[in-house]
Amino acid sequence: MPFRSLLAAAVLALPLAAVADTPNIVPGQWQFTSTTSVKGDIPIPDQTETHQECIVQGDLEDEEFQLIEEEEGCELLEHNVSADGVDYRMVCRAEGGEANIDGQMSFLGERVEGGVDILTESPMGELEMHTAIDGERIGDC
């Protein structure tokens, strides 16, 4: 997997395993929007991605539930989860590069909001990335 793709996947990795209480997320059809800005030696324009996902009550009660799948090559270093949100730190390695990732997400019932900061050293040089993530329930599945 190319290093750039690995970073993009890491930005969206949001593991929720080991939640003691059900996450404060109302089941239904959700729309997630992430906007990523990059600072570094190589000019990269901001990128915005939107996707929809159906979340049912059974998903929220499942210990293995994740909003987005975690990618290979990433190691979760710290993971603090509650019904109201998640904070995490991880590192991803690929093709001679490494990305240090700090993320947080707040669960607000019919909305979620958070961000991910990534500092990476790669053959392309140092890059700093920030991704703002917003999600909202848009109706029933």
Side-chain angles (χ1 to χ4, degrees):
M1 170 182 285
F3 186 69
R4 198 173 212 176
S5 297
L6 184 60
L7 287 179
V11 166
L12 299 175
L14 190 56
L16 296 177
V19 174
D21 299 318
T22 302
N24 182 20
I25 297 174
V26 178
Q29 187 71 22
W30 280 74
Q31 180 167 293
F32 296 94
T33 303
S34 61
T35 302
T36 302
S37 56
V38 180
K39 294 180 186 174
D41 297 335
I42 300 169
I44 299 173
D46 288 359
Q47 296 182 15
T48 299
E49 295 184 14
T50 300
H51 81 277
Q52 291 187 9
E53 183 173 342
C54 176
I55 299 174
V56 297
Q57 186 64 38
D59 293 333
L60 298 172
E61 294 169 357
D62 185 350
E63 288 182 4
E64 300 299 316
F65 174 69
Q66 296 184 25
L67 290 174
I68 306 292
E69 273 191 48
E70 205 172 333
E71 292 293 323
E72 285 185 44
C74 295
E75 176 186 355
L76 197 57
L77 304 173
E78 188 177 319
H79 188 220
N80 302 306
V81 183
S82 71
D84 296 322
V86 61
D87 295 303
Y88 64 95
R89 284 187 329 107
M90 63 177 19
V91 63
C92 296
R93 296 176 183 93
E95 296 182 12
E98 181 173 291
N100 293 294
I101 301 157
D102 293 304
Q104 67 84 24
M105 180 70 64
S106 297
F107 306 143
L108 306 166
E110 293 197 4
R111 293 184 325 103
V112 297
E113 58 185 39
V116 179
D117 292 308
I118 299 175
L119 177 61
T120 177
E121 288 287 338
S122 75
M124 298 184 305
E126 183 177 284
L127 293 175
E128 292 180 44
M129 299 171 65
H130 175 75
T131 299
I133 302 168
D134 292 299
E136 65 178 334
R137 185 180 184 278
I138 57 174
D140 294 332
C141 296

